[in-house]
Amino acid sequence: MVSISEAQPSPLVRLWESRKWYGAEWYMTAAGAFIVIFVVGMTIASFLTPNLAPYDPEARVADPFLPPTSGHIFGTDQLGRDIFSRIIYGAQIVMQVALLSAVLSLIIGVPLGLLSGFLGGRLDQVLSLIMDSIYSFPGLILAIALAALLGSGVLNISIAIAVVYIPIFFRLVRGQVLSIKQELYVEAARSIGAPGRVILWKYIFPNVIPSVVVVFSLNIADAIITEAGLAFIGLGVDPSKPDWGYDIYRGRSELVGGRWWLVTFPGLAIATVALGFSLFGEGLSEILNPRLREA
Amino acid sequence: MRSLRAYVITRFLLTIPMVLILLILVFILLRVMPGDPIKAAMRPGVPKEYLDQIRHAQGLDRPLVLNLRGSWATAVEPVIVLYEEHSTDSPPVMLALEGNRFSITDRYREGDEDWVRIAVEEGVPVWVEKEKLRWLRQGEVHFSVLEEGTPPGNVPGEWVQVQFKQGGIEGWAPADQFDIAVNPLDSQFFNYLWGLITRFDLGRSITLRGRPVAADLALKFPATLELSIFGMLIAGLVGVFTGAYAAYKRRSAADYALRIYSIVAYAVPIFWLGLMFQLIFGVGLKWLPVADRVSTQLRPETIVQVYNLQEVLTGPTGERLIKIIEFFSNFYILDCIVTGQWESLLDVLKHLILPSMTLGLYLSGIFTRLTRANMLDVLQQDFVMAARARGIKERIVVYKHALMNAFIPILTMFGLQFALLLAGAVLTETTFNWPGMGLFLVERITARDFPAIQGTVVFFALLVALVSLIVDIIYARVDPRVRY
């Protein structure tokens, strides 16, 4: 008799085979994952080596306002810096802020949502009211106001963006906890005398993780756009460093003169990376929640 | 079943704590911020007296939540000398005469000493020490001299009676020389709340010479609303048609393409989309203008000017009417139509196309998705199956039977995207130099004008709360199941 484990192909092969079940969602997720891995890899590499780009992103390497040519494929900006190199190194700030803000809101929003949903009562009411108030407010405007108050810097901008996402994690987790609490297996655990801490940690929390992962990915996409938006109105992280949104902010005034390459390429970079995280999150959510897949 | 009125009342009562929490959050945020908000807005090296004046005019010299140190001081001695610091050794600043009433801006208590710092309001005549006045004149503090000579009570020194034009002057004196009235609610928070509720006072700008924020927002609001309405129209048209089509052709290539479109529309930064439109249609093809609401030479004359209302309407009622009409005059399209300025109307519409396209396409992705989800929901219902069973064509079932029934939830969902619309409007306005509330906020941020930022953010919060209240009530009226 052949044991079951022997018949199982390797996880990578199973992942590849699974495209037949999921169809279009699978390709969406794969395309997203490809962009995500590429950008994250590029960012890490850019931190490790200063020679990732063809030129120094912060130095004058040619005449200003050179249109795209073979030497400078994306052209040069108003200070004669190579735009292609600036895009490669500009990923650093965007990815730092996006990741940090998503992580910050995750580590605040998820535990609060778990506790609020599990304990209920007065704490739940107060927390829900506060979170709903923040949630109802236009996120970007809140982030703008916070960023204006806190000032520049990776941490400050990340905090400003994170505040917007805390209620999203909170509401998501709280809602899930409320419905999981009613499940039979939780009741069974309770009836054999499992303490609340164990129920929360071992029975409820693992079931919350998949949707948290999805929202985490979508939030990173959103944070990338928000960071770019803040930089575009002048609330950038660090004016001296290459930053896609801030480069658009500075290149904006050159548009009238027809110097399109100053804003086009950084914008494409933002859109591509945000799209990657969105596709990854959206596809993942369809795969993880089969109930939603087809009506 | 609850009555609609009961639902409206409960829903309204739920709005109050939410708005209050946002108010408190904004209030706390602006106060815990490191550094002095007034200094931040000013050039460095501005004299302390000038900062004090603004601080007093802004009400930022009050305690944060509870005022226990007293809010008003009435002089009970015939003549009281006020000093620069809380000690009789420091130079004298001004004189308080018996019966004068001042507001208290600070208090110093240590051991037996009990000093209050009081402020003279704008326009109240006061005797000021000559040396101090010379210093104030250098600091560009504005005042007019009333009388030079000896003040009552023969106080030694040289004194001049002056009247301040903006803000006032402050000085220290022992507390026992005053009759002090304590009003615990005379604090920054409660004053702000009270002003907001009774006078819709959103605070005053620091850098724009104390202009009320509410007055500025009233000027900017029509621009934002005009942009939002057209943006919403485009988003609605694109979103509903693509969403319905995706639901009709569900799980086809077109469906997936539209879903990817909805993701792409959201992932593209809205300001960049706007810049690309400017590049293509403005700079490249030269079809459309890329900034502002109207060409300067074609700025529409307002209704008040065209019909000469200033002369027709007089008296307090007329004044109020003119104010209302002037508010509506800032809706340029309406203004042009009412007054028949067709050339200006064309110009205004041309200016509106690119910004509203930008905002509309940005929002359309979400609307495509919402419409599709709602349509799929409706398509599962029995009456759709019944329609299909009767042999009605699938296209008619989808577009007529299902879409009509999905309309109400779709409309409410549009209402719920209002917050997103406002956020999009801020960036669109910045991109197109559109003189609305969003651009105002960005300008105030650049000027580091914190009271104006607070006022604008609070106004946004009120607006969002109001719109979600209205949307919920409409929904409850249309669909009675919601009332539970």
Side-chain angles (χ1 to χ4, degrees):
Chain A
M1 193 176 154
V2 182
S3 79
I4 295 171
S5 59
E6 263 177 63
Q8 290 264 357
S10 79
L12 272 177
V13 174
R14 269 190 296 159
L15 200 63
W16 175 245
E17 291 295 322
S18 65
R19 75 187 190 282
K20 289 172 192 157
W21 283 272
Y22 294 117
E25 281 87 11
W26 193 91
Y27 291 101
M28 249 167 78
T29 321
F34 177 75
I35 298 177
V36 168
I37 291 169
F38 178 77
V39 171
V40 171
M42 191 182 87
T43 312
I44 294 172
S46 76
F47 273 113
L48 297 178
T49 162
N51 303 322
L52 192 66
Y55 300 94
D56 180 355
E58 289 166 41
R60 184 191 162 107
V61 293
D63 289 336
F65 302 123
L66 280 186
T69 50
S70 55
H72 303 274
I73 54 170
F74 288 170
T76 58
D77 69 1
Q78 55 271 68
L79 294 177
R81 297 171 297 196
D82 183 49
I83 293 181
F84 179 64
S85 309
R86 285 184 74 76
I87 285 180
I88 290 178
Y89 276 90
Q92 286 184 352
I93 281 184
V94 181
M95 293 311 292
Q96 277 183 67
V97 170
L99 210 65
L100 188 58
S101 61
V103 167
L104 276 177
S105 48
L106 181 100
I107 57 176
I108 296 174
V110 171
L112 284 181
L114 277 173
L115 283 179
S116 189
F118 189 67
L119 298 176
R122 191 55 56 83
L123 173 86
D124 182 37
Q125 282 177 354
V126 172
L127 274 178
S128 298
L129 194 65
I130 295 176
M131 293 294 175
D132 283 350
S133 314
I134 303 177
Y135 182 76
S136 70
F137 195 72
L140 179 76
I141 296 176
L142 189 62
I144 289 176
L146 281 170
L149 291 180
L150 295 170
S152 53
V154 170
L155 187 63
N156 284 344
I157 300 289
S158 302
I159 291 173
I161 299 175
V163 171
V164 178
Y165 300 135
I166 291 173
I168 297 178
F169 281 109
F170 174 85
R171 285 164 57 106
L172 171 89
V173 171
R174 177 177 172 272
Q176 296 229 327
V177 170
L178 286 182
S179 78
I180 294 171
K181 239 168 54 170
Q182 311 294 326
E183 297 277 347
L184 206 58
Y185 62 85
V186 174
E187 208 171 304
R190 208 186 292 273
S191 68
I192 59 166
R197 157 172 61 83
V198 172
I199 293 178
L200 191 60
W201 188 245
K202 291 246 159 100
Y203 291 79
I204 296 181
F205 180 62
N207 287 295
V208 177
I209 294 175
S211 37
V212 168
V213 171
V214 168
V215 171
F216 184 74
S217 176
L218 293 178
N219 271 354
I220 289 185
D222 213 81
I224 289 167
I225 305 169
T226 309
E227 191 275 337
L230 291 179
F232 177 69
I233 58 174
L235 295 167
V237 169
D238 183 351
S240 68
K241 291 258 167 63
D243 176 0
W244 300 338
Y246 206 72
D247 282 356
I248 295 180
Y249 167 71
R250 275 185 298 214
R252 218 188 121 177
S253 48
E254 304 301 333
L255 210 60
V256 186
R259 291 163 183 143
W260 53 274
W261 55 93
L262 266 74
V263 297
T264 307
F265 295 115
L268 274 177
I270 299 167
T272 312
V273 177
L275 185 67
F277 280 95
S278 294
L279 280 176
F280 184 64
E282 294 280 342
L284 210 59
S285 120
E286 305 252 351
I287 288 174
L288 291 174
N289 298 316
R291 265 172 306 164
L292 297 177
R293 276 181 61 210
E294 192 44 44
Chain B
M1 167 138 317
R2 268 198 298 170
S3 72
L4 184 60
R5 185 189 297 172
Y7 175 80
V8 171
I9 292 172
T10 356
R11 183 64 185 72
F12 182 72
L13 290 179
L14 267 175
T15 309
I16 294 175
M18 282 178 85
V19 170
L20 206 61
I21 283 176
L22 269 178
L23 282 183
I24 295 172
L25 280 181
V26 173
F27 182 84
I28 293 174
L29 281 175
L30 276 153
R31 266 72 185 179
V32 296
M33 179 197 65
D36 183 346
I38 294 171
K39 261 190 194 154
M42 296 288 153
R43 277 174 282 124
V46 173
K48 192 178 154 298
E49 283 78 6
Y50 191 62
L51 296 178
D52 282 343
Q53 277 194 349
I54 293 172
R55 184 168 292 117
H56 183 58
Q58 290 278 344
L60 291 176
D61 51 7
R62 316 266 118 180
L64 281 182
V65 186
L66 279 181
N67 186 345
L68 298 175
R69 65 180 188 212
S71 57
W72 293 99
T74 315
V76 287
E77 306 267 323
V79 179
I80 304 167
V81 182
L82 291 140
Y83 297 92
E84 187 84 50
E85 299 292 331
H86 43 77
S87 128
T88 42
D89 302 333
S90 65
V93 178
M94 58 171 172
L95 301 177
L97 305 181
E98 190 173 1
N100 286 359
R101 193 157 164 272
F102 308 99
S103 58
I104 299 177
T105 62
D106 204 352
R107 193 156 179 171
Y108 173 81
R109 280 194 201 124
E110 202 177 306
D112 305 339
E113 286 195 74
D114 185 3
W115 290 69
V116 285
R117 183 182 167 96
I118 58 161
V120 184
E121 304 290 330
E122 184 181 338
V124 177
V126 62
W127 289 94
V128 180
E129 212 277 325
K130 212 168 180 179
E131 200 55 39
K132 175 82 178 172
L133 208 57
R134 194 168 297 143
W135 163 243
L136 286 180
R137 191 174 278 134
Q138 283 173 358
E140 284 182 45
V141 174
H142 297 277
F143 54 84
S144 43
V145 176
L146 300 178
E147 188 187 338
E148 240 173 292
T150 30
N154 289 324
V155 190
E158 286 183 89
W159 300 88
V160 185
Q161 197 184 25
V162 296
Q163 206 174 7
F164 286 90
K165 281 188 182 153
Q166 23 159 285
I169 181 168
E170 301 187 15
W172 288 92
D176 53 11
Q177 298 181 327
F178 292 96
D179 184 16
I180 290 173
V182 180
N183 173 12
L185 295 188
D186 180 27
S187 62
Q188 288 184 31
F189 180 70
F190 287 104
N191 282 345
Y192 189 69
L193 204 61
W194 182 244
L196 190 65
I197 294 169
T198 52
R199 288 171 273 125
F200 200 68
D201 184 355
L202 290 168
R204 280 156 184 283
S205 156
I206 292 182
T207 45
L208 299 172
R209 294 175 182 272
R211 244 179 92 81
V213 177
D216 268 325
L217 287 179
L219 277 177
K220 312 282 182 184
F221 178 69
T224 302
L225 193 63
E226 212 170 60
L227 173 65
S228 307
I229 289 173
F230 279 81
M232 208 64 159
L233 265 178
I234 291 175
L237 284 176
V238 175
V240 168
F241 281 109
T242 52
Y245 186 72
Y248 170 43
K249 297 263 184 194
R250 58 196 166 280
R251 293 194 89 67
S252 70
D255 183 19
Y256 282 113
L258 282 173
R259 277 169 65 196
I260 289 182
Y261 164 75
S262 79
I263 299 173
V264 171
Y266 192 72
V268 169
I270 182 169
F271 54 92
W272 185 70
L273 187 67
L275 290 175
M276 289 299 110
F277 279 150
Q278 289 184 358
L279 193 66
I280 298 168
F281 297 105
V283 179
L285 298 170
K286 298 204 179 353
W287 286 350
L288 295 165
V290 295
D292 224 329
R293 288 177 79 187
V294 64
S295 311
T296 323
Q297 72 276 16
L298 284 176
R299 190 173 289 278
E301 283 179 78
T302 68
I303 305 173
V304 177
Q305 284 172 330
V306 167
Y307 295 108
N308 221 345
L309 295 179
Q310 220 89 52
E311 286 178 18
V312 182
L313 297 169
T314 47
T317 325
E319 287 281 312
R320 216 168 296 147
L321 206 58
I322 284 178
K323 262 194 185 155
I324 294 170
I325 294 171
E326 270 185 344
F327 173 72
F328 282 110
S329 277
N330 285 315
F331 294 96
Y332 282 180
I333 293 182
L334 183 86
D335 195 37
C336 290
I337 294 174
V338 170
T339 54
Q341 302 167 65
W342 307 118
E343 204 184 336
S344 297
L345 179 68
L346 194 69
D347 187 65
V348 168
L349 286 177
K350 265 189 182 168
H351 278 82
L352 193 59
I353 292 175
L354 287 185
S356 50
M357 279 251 291
T358 308
L359 188 56
L361 287 184
Y362 166 71
L363 290 171
S364 70
I366 287 157
F367 287 178
T368 306
R369 172 185 308 209
L370 289 177
T371 309
R372 180 181 178 274
N374 271 304
M375 285 287 290
L376 289 179
D377 225 32
V378 175
L379 283 172
Q380 278 189 315
Q381 288 179 13
D382 289 343
F383 77 92
V384 173
M385 198 181 286
R388 281 179 186 148
R390 274 184 278 135
I392 299 173
K393 275 186 199 140
E394 178 70 10
R395 200 156 49 98
I396 296 184
V397 172
V398 171
Y399 288 128
K400 197 172 162 204
H401 297 237
L403 186 56
M404 286 301 141
N405 279 285
F407 231 72
I408 300 299
I410 291 171
L411 276 184
T412 19
M413 293 220 170
F414 283 13
L416 294 179
Q417 298 304 320
F418 185 70
L420 197 66
L421 175 81
L422 280 185
V426 171
L427 286 179
T428 312
E429 285 174 7
T430 316
T431 314
F432 287 94
N433 224 358
W434 188 264
M437 299 192 296
L439 190 61
F440 178 72
L441 178 67
V442 173
E443 281 169 2
R444 296 296 89 214
I445 283 173
T446 324
R448 301 189 66 70
D449 185 350
F450 288 103
I453 298 173
Q454 168 177 314
T456 316
V457 170
V458 165
F459 184 72
F460 275 121
L462 293 176
L463 203 61
V464 169
L466 182 74
V467 168
S468 80
L469 180 69
I470 293 173
V471 168
D472 276 3
I473 290 173
I474 293 176
Y475 198 15
R477 193 177 150 67
V478 178
D479 188 349
R481 282 173 301 178
V482 182
R483 292 179 208 168
Y484 283 101

